[in-house]
Structure formats: structure tokens, C-alpha cells
Amino acid sequence: MELTLHVWRQAGPDQPGRMEIIRATGISEDMSFLEMLDKVNDDLIRDGVEPIHFDHDCREGICGTCSLMINGIAHGPEEGTTTCQLHMRSFQDGDSIYIEPWRSRAFPVIKDLVVDRSAFDRIMQAGGYVSINVGAAPDANSIPVPKEDADLAFDAAACIGCGACVASCPNGSAMLFVSAKIGHLAHLPQGRVEHERRLRAMVAQMDKEGFGPCSNHFECEAVCPKEISARFIGEMNRDFIRC
Amino acid sequence: MAYQLDAKIPAGPIQEKWTNHRFNLKLVNPANKRKFKIIVVGSGLAGGAAAASLGELGYNVECFCYQDSPRRAHSIAAQGGINAAKNYPNDGDSIWRLFYDTVKGGDYRAREANVYRLAEVSNNIIDQCVAQGVPFAREYGGLLDNRSFGGAQVSRTFYARGQTGQQLLLGAYQSLSRQIARGTVKMFPRSEMLDLVLVDGHARGIIVRDLVTGEIRRHAADAVILATGGYGNVFYLSTNAMGCNVTAAYRAYRRGAGFANPCFTQIHPTCIPVSSDHQSKLTLMSESLRNDGRVWVPKKKGDKRPPNEIPEDERDYYLERRYPSFGNLVPRDVASRAAKERCDAGHGVGATGLAVYLDFSDAIQRLGRDVIEARYGNLFQMYEKITAEDPYQVPMRIYPAVHYTMGGLWVDYNLQSTIPGLFVGGEANFSDHGANRLGASALMQGLADGYFVLPYTLGDYLAREADMNVKVGTDHEAFAAAEREVRDKIERLMAVGGKEPVESFHKRLGRLMWDYCGMARNAEGLQKALAEIPKLREEFWAEVRVTGGPDGLNAELEKAGRVADFLEFAELMCRDALHREESCGGHFREEHQTEEGEAKRDDENFSYVAVWEFKGDGEEPELSKEPLTFEHVPLTTRSYK
Ligand SMILES: Cc1cc2nc3c(=O)[nH]c(=O)nc-3n(C[C@H](O)[C@H](O)[C@H](O)COP(=O)(O)OP(=O)(O)OC[C@H]3O[C@@H](n4cnc5c(N)ncnc54)[C@H](O)[C@@H]3O)c2cc1C
Ligand code: FES
């Protein structure tokens, strides 16, 4: 396959950026999207040009490091798929592909396609945990948890913290991310104890980081590679009004 | 001078060692804890758990990782589960049995006392994780569910769908976040440790490169913990994340930390086969799949018929045939070698002939598609995404891949390396898995080290050795010298100005290692690798092209530093593999096998931990031995027949 890539290049956080056209040749449809970029980078390096910088690590859809807007869609065209799990069979020979970084005020660009998502960590630090010290735990089976609750908690906990939800929201809202963490802990008795305090603290931090409000577009749910349900946003809003 | 290796195993009956030892450990006065600074490199299960627990205790902790967030350490990728001796299913499990299985599974190359402690604290881990809100799988009665895993005949594995590592790491990350908020832990993401700093023979700090700005920084402390994970990426292709590396451990080795059993690598039997040259990593299919999947190849060599057209009596379920009592659940090393044996004999399937089938049709018929989907849905989906084949319809194709490294920095019972004040936890140390790790035991070990061992043993070191009043600052000459070396290496890398990308050297090294130091090894091949690696290293330093500059984010520079270290470390691995004239666990020397092709251990001559000491560039490392004695698990030939 041969492709024409339109890639966002930006040398550093304070430098201007622009779209650049780069040809991708010798691409096979079994390659993952990132392997396609590896190949392009290999060619660039051999030509003495700095390669395209992008974030990635596990390359199996679980660490949440990879993060690209591909033709305007966070993580590209396949549903429930991270960029690293997207394969070139989803594209056609001769395609033009637009590749941009996550766009959000709260995620400043570091270089090319790499952004700073530390705002998510600070939201977690504000309250996204159960306050328990090592050694203080009772026997694991001392509190039975209905299977439905445990499953629901898991559905929320599957969030990989990639930030696709923010990148695709017209308002740059982090509600899906925050509600997933809140939902995970709220559906377990262990997390229930601190629920209200956690909710208030995390929401306050979210606002402070410059994420926008949620106006129910649900673009976030559509692009989430882990298919986290927007029901958690509903639950969180309901509880927020209550407290 | 060779190392004087003292494992510091406490006296007394094995069941009481840890309890007694904890009582004998010195404590740090609570009011003084915050005056001690501790560096934790790594934020995976081992490092994240250690940093959080030390923070809870009141120490002043600095934690580092190379990812953009501690939540992304590679522990996140673990799928299958975590072991514990809870015996909730009432199927006869106990601390003793978990201990026994782990020593035996490790092919008698682990230290009994450490393994016993691991089994002992395993139950606390599950309690701790549940209390943190880890959403483990549950049964309809609301209690925790267990499943069985390769190498065990009891169900002792706790799991959270196919994402156990993710959920456990999020638990540790949440605890870590709480400490960061409390100010006890300061987190440094996107920071790579490039050297260890010793003052008067004690570990007193590290040199770090800020991966965003390129700034080289010095960090001083009273003790350093390395929890930097495994080095499987020396093979280039592995199930590890792209960034996993040996740099931190290797730099510590160069500063005097003994490296133990570097050749012990685990090849995981169930991975998606390599499809072509451009492949950047291999994807694991959790071995829990072997609970319900049956492994087979066609009986006829080179049979190219689609699997569903091959009748039952023309299939060779070779694991069930060779190992009737464990069948598809034999340990990893055994399953991997058996797959290689069949493929080498011409029975492999798929385009490359380097794959075997893992077939779920019987299980789907017996249990229904729903049950299989509930158990493995996300794995089947992942498989389909990568291969474009539907495993509900056609059997999966799998092949072994590099997965885990049992070798690592040598540590004593306190998890302290041969350098005083340098502690090592998780996959980065060599400790508990001997020559072969059992499934679901790495998560257990990482969390045991981080939550339940290091917080005690480190306190003892501080109480005994560190003088609060003599603080070493980063202006000490040792820091300046280490920083100069780090800067010098970066300058040299940038200055080569060759034409070949870093990745290309990494791939070439990987192929060498896979061919000569992979699933099967022999003296001739290892000698060849030992001749080739230095040449490749020379070529690297003459021909590599590192684009960009030393400042700011530069992924090529990061990779170049890591590959340069792999190019040195690979030699140590081959040397270790060559010296170990026996087959044990994941280390299979073709010269040492039974007539049936099973591994042949040599307890008389090799029942020891091989610990290598760096002697300078161009010098041969020196070998020291920690003898292993087995008082509780009698030495037997491992048999899964
Ligand atoms: C795909 C896969 C599936 C697995 N499944 C299971 C399973 O089901 N059950 C099981 O028990 N085990 C499993 N394992 C093994 C297990 O996940 C690992 O052995 C374990 O998680 C390692 O934890 P760790 O804390 O030692 O290291 P890691 O989680 O790898 O963490 C290493 C940390 O060190 C940091 N680091 C490394 N080098 C540097 C440096 N130079 N400077 C700064 N920071 C650095 C990294 O940023 C990271 O934070 C699996 C492994 C893989 C790859
Ligand atoms: S690289 Fe880990 S999710 Fe894509």
C-alpha cells in the first residue's frame, strides 16, 4: 500500500506547529497503524529527517499511552479500538490520512503528536482512591459484593485513561473519564464510604484543570476504545446534584 | 574478588522465618521517618506498591517512571490473574502447596525461604487489593471466584476478566495518588534513570534524564529501590511494552550490583505468531485459555488443509498425548518446547509453519458460546483484531514468544542487592521463580515485594546503617562524576552520525538472541552469539544515526541509550547460558536432555544461583555462586506426565 499522510509536526511546546505531507510507502495491510508509522519513521531517519514523535508503549490496547486523531476521529475508524490495535486493513491503497494530536486546552502539545495528560493524574490525586493503608484490610471475602455490582464496577474500571473522550468532545470535557473512576468505586462497598467527598473533590479538580462542561453530545462514548458507557455520567450527575 | 554472597536467610523453621525476622528487624522511629528520603525507580506493581506503602509509613519518597503516568507501567498488561493460597474453593490448597508448586515449577533454582514468604503473604495481597476496590471476578453469591492456571492442579488464581494486571495496577496507582496528594511521595513521570550513584560503597542516588526537557538531573537519597521490570526486550520481539528495558538494572550492575541468572528467560507458549518483518511486538493470549482450549497439530507433516477439514483422528493433541495427567495445563516451559518440537518436526501450521492450533470447539460445544465469551471475550476480540480471524469459528494459531525474565539483580532475603542501600523488587530482581515462573505468580511477587516486604526490610537498613545527620547532597563529587558519564554517553551517541536507525540494530540483536539464546540453546550457537554481539555493538557505535538533539523530547535518543545497554547485556546472557551446562526450566541446553526430549537438570553441579560481577569494559565478568539447598521440597525430576 501507498498512502499520503498529513501529519501535525511541532518541534516543541512553545513552537508553532503545522500539517506536513509525508508519503508512506511499502505498507502492508497486516501492519498496525503504529507499525505503519514505524516504517515511515525508519524512512525519515534514513533520509536524515527527525521522525514523527507519537506516544505508545504496550501496543496491545491496555496502557492508554497511544493517542492519535486519525481522520478527525480519536483512535481512528474502528469502534472499541485503540490506535495501537488499529490495522492497516482498515485503509485502502492510495488513501490520504490526517493524523493529529489530541486537541484540548487541558492537554498541551509537547512535540508533534505527543501531549501532556498529567491533568488526569491530578484529578486522581484529588480523590480517586479508597483511603486504606497497607495492612489494614479485612479478609477479602468478609464483604460479599453482588456479582452485578462487581461487574458494573469493572465496566467502569476498564477505562485506560487515554483521553480520547476529552479529545473528541466539542467542549473538551473530561466527564467520561471522571465518571468512570467515580462509578468504579461507587459500585463497590469498599468505595462507597468516601463517595461524596471523592465526587466533590474530583469534580473540583476537573474544573480547575480547564476541562469544559458536558452538554450531552456523547462523542466520548462513541470513541472510547474500552466502550465505557455514558450511563456513568448520568449516575455521577445525579449524585452530584444530591450532594 | 568474588562476591561474598550472604542470603541472610533467618534461622528457625521455614514457617516461622518471616514472623521472627519481622520481629528482629529494627524499626525507624515514626518521627524520624520523614527525614529519610527514598528513591523508588519504577511505578509498576512492585514500585508503585512500594512507593505508596513507604509514603503511608511517613517516609519521604521520590518515585520515577519513563511513561507519562505511573498508571501505564507494563504491569498494566497482565491478563490472566494473580495467585494466592486462600483455598476459597476448598480444593486442597494451602500456603505449603503454593510454596511447593512454586519451588518445583521453578525447577529447583529458587531459594526456599523467599518462596515460602511469598506464599505466606499472598493472602494479604488479595485482602489489600479488595479493600482498595479492585473489581475481582465474583460468583453469584457475592464471593470471589477462582480459576486454575498452568502448572497447578488447584484453582488459586484470582482474576478481573482478562485485565487483572490493569486492575491491580490501578489499585496501586490509586494508593500512590493518595500519597502524592498527601505530599509523602513526589512523582517524576517521563523521567529515565540513566545511572546509579554510590557514595562510600552505598547507593545514595540516581542520575535521571527528564524526557520532556532533556535536562539531566541528580537525585540524592538514603536508599534506592529499583523496580524497573524485566528485560525481555533484549529479544526485540516480546510481549513486553516497547519501552521496557534493562538500563536501570544494567547500570546498577556496572556499579557493582551482582546480576543473577541472566539467561533465565520465560518463553510463553500462547502468543499470536509472528506474521512478518515489520512486526514491532508480540501479543500474548492469556494462558488461562488453555483451561478450555485444546492444543493440536495435524498428524501429517505439512498438512495444508484448513483446520476444520482435518478429521479428529488425524489430529495430534500432543500435550494430552505426552503429558496425560496435566494435559494442556503443563507449565509454560514444557508447553513452549513441545510446540517448537512439533513445528521443527514439520507439523506446524499457518503460512510460516511456526504455529500450532488452540481449539475451543469442544469447549463451545460442551459449555455453550456464552460461557466461553464470558470467560475470554476480550481475548477473542483482541485475537480477531490482530489476525482478522474469528476464534469462535476457527482454532486460534499460537506460537511461543519471549515473555518474562526470571533472571535479575541478585538480592538477599531482605531484597537488598550486593550494593548496600540498593534494594530491588518485582521482575527486576531474580528472586522467587527459579528457572521458570508459574502463571499468575509475577503479579503476586511484585505486590508482595512492594506492599509487604520492602517497607519492613528497608526500614531495618535505615535504622541500622543510615545516619540521619550525615546527608549526602547532590553536590557530592560522586554525583558530578556519574553525571559526566551520562552526558558523555549521550554526546557520543549523538556524535556517531551514521546512517542506520537504532531500531534496525535492535531488530538484528533480537534475531541473534532468539536464534542462539532463545527456546533452545547449545554451546556452538552461544559461542557464535558471543562472537557476533561485540561486532554488532561495534557496528552500532560506528553506524547508528540518532536524529534530533540532546534537548527536549527525543524518542530516538531514548531508544539508542537502551539499545546500547542491551548490546552489552546480551553478552552477559549468552555467557551465563553457556556456562550453565544443564537444562532447567526455561533454560534448555540441547546437549542436556533425556531421550524423550525432556530437560535434564544437573543438581550435583548446578544447584546454585549464578551471580555475575562487572569487572570493567572488555574484561570478563566474574562468576560467584550462591548454593541452593532444598530441605522442604525434595529434589525430584519435574514430571507432568
Ligand atoms: C502481556 C503480559 C501479560 C502478563 N500476564 C501476567 C499474569 O496474568 N499474571 C502474572 O502474575 N504475571 C503476568 N505477567 C508478568 C507481570 O505482568 C510482570 O512481571 C509484572 O507486572 C512486572 O511488574 P514490575 O513492577 O516488576 O515491573 P513493570 O510493571 O514493568 O514496571 C516497571 C517500571 O519501571 C519503570 N522504569 C523502567 N526502566 C526505567 C528507567 N530506566 N528509569 C525510570 N523508570 C524506569 C517503568 O516506567 C515502570 O514504571 C504478564 C506480563 C506481560 C508482558
Ligand atoms: S500503546 Fe498501550 S494502549 Fe496503545
Side-chain angles (χ1 to χ4, degrees):
Chain A
M1 287 165 87
E2 288 197 14
L3 305 155
T4 306
L5 308 182
H6 301 254
V7 187
W8 182 259
R9 302 299 304 256
Q10 181 174 339
D14 308 318
Q15 317 269 327
R18 65 192 166 86
M19 295 300 281
E20 216 175 76
I21 295 176
I22 300 173
R23 298 208 66 80
T25 55
I27 305 303
S28 92
E29 57 177 30
D30 287 335
M31 286 181 173
S32 72
F33 197 82
L34 298 184
E35 284 165 354
M36 181 275 289
L37 288 179
D38 288 344
K39 169 74 173 66
V40 170
N41 278 347
D42 188 89
D43 293 342
L44 289 175
I45 295 166
R46 287 178 197 276
D47 289 344
V49 179
E50 244 207 289
I52 305 162
H53 276 67
F54 57 92
D55 254 334
H56 65 108
D57 202 25
C58 76
R59 296 207 175 184
E60 52 186 81
I62 191 72
C63 72
T65 310
C66 63
S67 52
L68 300 177
M69 293 301 269
I70 300 168
N71 290 336
I73 306 171
H75 291 303
E78 299 288 326
E79 268 175 41
T81 305
T82 54
T83 295
C84 61
Q85 287 198 298
L86 178 65
H87 280 73
M88 295 313 291
R89 347 177 222 286
S90 302
F91 300 89
Q92 308 267 314
D93 188 28
D95 274 359
S96 284
I97 307 179
Y98 288 79
I99 310 173
E100 293 166 87
W102 282 173
R103 298 276 186 209
S104 161
R105 192 150 52 107
F107 293 162
V109 171
I110 295 174
K111 183 171 184 167
D112 293 345
L113 305 167
V114 177
V115 301
D116 177 354
R117 286 170 288 194
S118 54
F120 273 8
D121 287 320
R122 289 187 294 274
I123 294 176
M124 287 294 290
Q125 287 152 21
Y129 44 76
V130 176
S131 299
I132 165 146
N133 280 6
V134 173
D139 182 82
N141 260 348
S142 61
I143 309 174
V145 180
K147 186 170 171 4
E148 301 72 33
D149 290 350
D151 285 348
L152 211 52
F154 185 97
D155 290 343
C159 168
I160 57 175
C162 63
C165 45
V166 174
S168 53
C169 174
N171 306 332
S173 165
M175 283 292 270
L176 191 61
F177 169 77
V178 175
S179 70
K181 182 52 29 178
I182 301 274
H184 158 206
L185 294 173
H187 284 282
L188 294 171
Q190 290 82 1
R192 201 66 217 168
V193 184
E194 296 171 282
H195 176 59
E196 290 193 3
R197 185 157 51 98
R198 174 181 311 120
L199 179 53
R200 274 196 298 268
M202 288 181 77
V203 169
Q205 188 66 33
M206 173 179 87
D207 293 341
K208 212 165 116 188
E209 296 289 347
F211 292 103
C214 170
S215 39
N216 301 329
H217 288 278
F218 298 138
E219 291 291 330
C220 51
E221 187 185 42
V223 299
C224 175
K226 296 295 133 179
E227 302 180 317
I228 309 270
S229 162
R231 73 171 274 177
F232 294 110
I233 299 183
E235 288 180 10
M236 177 169 130
N237 280 333
R238 188 194 59 211
D239 287 0
F240 192 73
I241 294 163
R242 250 189 238 154
C243 68
Chain B
M1 200 187 62
Y3 288 125
Q4 300 300 311
L5 298 169
D6 177 1
K8 305 219 176 79
I9 299 169
I14 196 158
Q15 296 91 333
E16 289 163 29
K17 283 184 195 293
W18 180 232
T19 310
N20 292 341
H21 189 59
R22 268 189 309 180
F23 178 72
N24 292 327
L25 291 173
K26 286 188 82 172
L27 301 173
V28 177
N29 179 337
N32 287 337
K33 283 192 178 134
R34 72 185 162 77
K35 296 182 192 156
F36 285 114
K37 192 191 271 182
I38 298 163
I39 283 175
V40 181
V41 189
S43 64
L45 289 183
S53 338
L54 290 163
E56 285 166 13
L57 290 171
Y59 292 106
N60 178 0
V61 181
E62 290 188 344
C63 182
F64 300 79
C65 70
Y66 72 75
Q67 291 92 349
D68 71 332
S69 162
R71 69 177 287 155
R72 306 201 204 283
H74 195 51
S75 294
I76 201 97
Q79 302 172 349
I82 177 168
N83 287 331
K86 285 282 194 186
N87 192 30
Y88 287 154
N90 196 28
D91 55 1
D93 202 8
S94 61
I95 290 174
W96 192 268
R97 189 181 290 278
L98 175 54
F99 158 63
Y100 184 96
D101 286 353
T102 308
V103 172
K104 179 184 169 207
D107 219 359
Y108 303 93
R109 291 296 173 261
R111 203 186 278 146
E112 277 189 342
N114 283 55
V115 177
Y116 190 88
R117 174 179 62 192
L118 175 65
E120 196 177 341
V121 302
S122 68
N123 292 338
N124 305 49
I125 296 173
I126 303 303
D127 298 342
Q128 183 64 28
C129 294
V130 167
Q132 288 168 344
V134 170
F136 283 122
R138 288 179 183 267
E139 297 179 339
Y140 282 101
L143 302 181
L144 294 162
D145 190 19
N146 288 115
R147 63 181 171 202
S148 63
F149 229 61
Q153 287 170 311
V154 291
S155 288
R156 62 160 73 100
T157 303
F158 293 78
Y159 65 101
R161 289 189 204 157
Q163 289 114 292
T164 315
Q166 178 198 25
Q167 294 310 318
L168 295 174
L169 184 62
L170 290 180
Y173 163 73
Q174 287 166 206
S175 294
L176 183 64
S177 299
R178 174 167 166 250
Q179 294 310 311
I180 295 171
R182 289 180 60 205
T184 58
V185 179
K186 191 161 188 318
M187 186 69 218
F188 295 87
R190 290 205 201 264
S191 300
E192 182 165 22
M193 165 185 163
L194 294 178
D195 211 346
L196 179 74
V197 181
L198 267 59
V199 175
D200 299 332
H202 289 236
R204 293 311 296 264
I206 59 175
I207 306 291
V208 168
R209 180 168 181 271
D210 181 322
L211 301 181
V212 176
T213 62
E215 188 193 351
I216 307 294
R217 281 197 316 253
R218 308 172 182 183
H219 291 265
D222 294 288
V224 177
I225 296 176
L226 293 190
T228 45
Y231 50 83
N233 275 353
V234 68
F235 292 91
Y236 184 71
L237 283 180
S238 82
T239 62
N240 287 4
M242 301 303 285
C244 292
N245 66 88
V246 77
T247 290
Y250 187 73
R251 291 285 129 190
Y253 161 75
R254 287 182 60 103
R255 294 277 173 205
F259 212 111
N261 301 332
C263 80
F264 285 175
T265 32
Q266 176 162 82
I267 316 280
H268 195 293
T270 53
C271 300
I272 300 180
V274 177
S275 69
S276 70
D277 271 0
H278 55 252
Q279 198 139 344
S280 58
K281 80 154 279 164
L282 295 174
T283 303
L284 177 74
M285 288 283 101
S286 167
E287 97 182 301
S288 59
L289 292 170
R290 285 198 276 146
N291 283 332
D292 289 305
R294 297 177 70 195
V295 177
W296 63 275
V297 292
K299 279 187 181 159
K300 209 163 73 203
K301 274 190 197 179
D303 191 337
K304 289 286 167 208
R305 284 176 292 175
N308 296 343
E309 286 173 22
I310 299 179
E312 195 58 28
D313 62 346
E314 291 182 42
R315 300 174 175 193
D316 177 13
Y317 295 90
Y318 58 88
L319 288 177
E320 296 168 29
R321 169 171 59 78
R322 281 177 71 176
Y323 308 101
S325 73
F326 276 69
N328 293 296
L329 289 177
V330 290
R332 293 174 175 180
D333 53 339
V334 177
S336 292
R337 271 199 299 279
K340 176 175 158 52
E341 190 276 328
R342 283 294 78 192
C343 293
D344 289 352
H347 297 270
V349 301
T352 57
L354 288 178
V356 300
Y357 290 125
L358 178 61
D359 195 336
F360 293 88
S361 49
D362 283 358
I364 293 174
Q365 240 169 38
R366 193 175 70 242
L367 304 164
R369 185 186 158 123
D370 293 359
V371 174
I372 296 301
E373 196 167 338
R375 284 188 192 160
Y376 313 110
N378 69 316
L379 296 170
F380 277 41
Q381 212 182 8
M382 181 143 84
Y383 181 85
E384 190 173 354
K385 262 176 205 161
I386 294 174
T387 62
E389 279 176 11
D390 176 6
Y392 293 103
Q393 304 297 332
V394 264
M396 284 184 178
R397 278 175 297 111
I398 53 159
Y399 198 67
V402 173
H403 178 56
Y404 182 88
T405 50
M406 282 76 67
L409 292 176
W410 184 85
V411 288
D412 62 15
Y413 189 74
N414 295 319
L415 304 185
Q416 184 168 229
S417 70
T418 56
I419 299 176
L422 178 69
F423 292 75
V424 192
E427 194 172 336
N429 73 24
F430 88 104
S431 68
D432 305 346
H433 309 293
N436 174 55
R437 174 174 73 76
L438 291 182
S441 286
L443 301 180
M444 169 172 74
Q445 182 227 330
L447 290 178
D449 291 356
Y451 286 136
F452 295 107
V453 180
L454 285 166
Y456 291 101
T457 59
L458 194 94
D460 179 69
Y461 167 79
L462 294 173
R464 281 174 206 275
E465 300 240 10
D467 186 341
M468 268 177 302
N469 301 316
V470 192
K471 290 285 170 192
V472 174
T474 53
D475 50 359
H476 190 283
E477 170 50 30
F479 278 90
E483 185 184 322
R484 265 197 308 277
E485 283 185 41
V486 164
R487 286 186 185 281
D488 178 57
K489 183 175 169 195
I490 291 174
E491 272 166 35
R492 279 190 299 134
L493 283 170
M494 305 276 3
V496 177
K499 288 209 165 59
E500 194 170 330
V502 177
E503 197 103 340
S504 158
F505 285 99
H506 196 177
K507 283 187 180 173
R508 288 166 62 189
L509 175 67
R511 219 163 300 141
L512 255 173
M513 294 302 282
W514 179 247
D515 287 347
Y516 300 116
C517 198
M519 242 190 300
R521 303 150 174 194
N522 60 51
E524 198 190 334
L526 289 164
Q527 261 145 1
K528 179 151 195 267
L530 282 169
E532 293 295 322
I533 294 164
K535 285 191 222 156
L536 187 61
R537 195 164 58 225
E538 252 174 60
E539 205 185 320
F540 173 85
W541 282 102
E543 296 296 335
V544 76
R545 171 177 279 169
V546 183
T547 48
D551 298 330
L553 184 64
N554 186 348
E556 287 304 304
L557 177 59
E558 292 167 28
K559 274 194 267 182
R562 292 170 195 158
V563 171
D565 285 339
F566 276 137
L567 280 164
E568 292 182 25
F569 175 72
E571 218 177 316
L572 187 67
M573 271 178 84
C574 293
R575 198 178 293 278
D576 186 44
L578 182 63
H579 114 280
R580 194 169 276 278
E581 290 276 359
E582 65 161 349
S583 293
C584 59
H587 171 65
F588 190 72
R589 280 288 300 268
E590 287 171 344
E591 301 95 323
H592 305 284
Q593 52 180 311
T594 64
E595 274 170 24
E596 292 147 324
E598 303 294 340
K600 208 156 107 194
R601 243 179 29 234
D602 177 356
D603 295 324
E604 189 120 356
N605 295 305
F606 288 96
S607 189
Y608 61 77
V609 180
V611 188
W612 299 91
E613 182 175 3
F614 181 70
K615 289 287 172 185
D617 286 312
E619 304 292 321
E620 293 215 350
E622 185 173 351
L623 174 65
S624 302
K625 299 172 183 178
E626 180 202 338
L628 294 169
T629 47
F630 295 90
E631 288 168 23
H632 302 92
V633 187
L635 279 163
T636 52
T637 302
R638 237 167 21 129
S639 168
Y640 294 92
K641 294 192 187 290

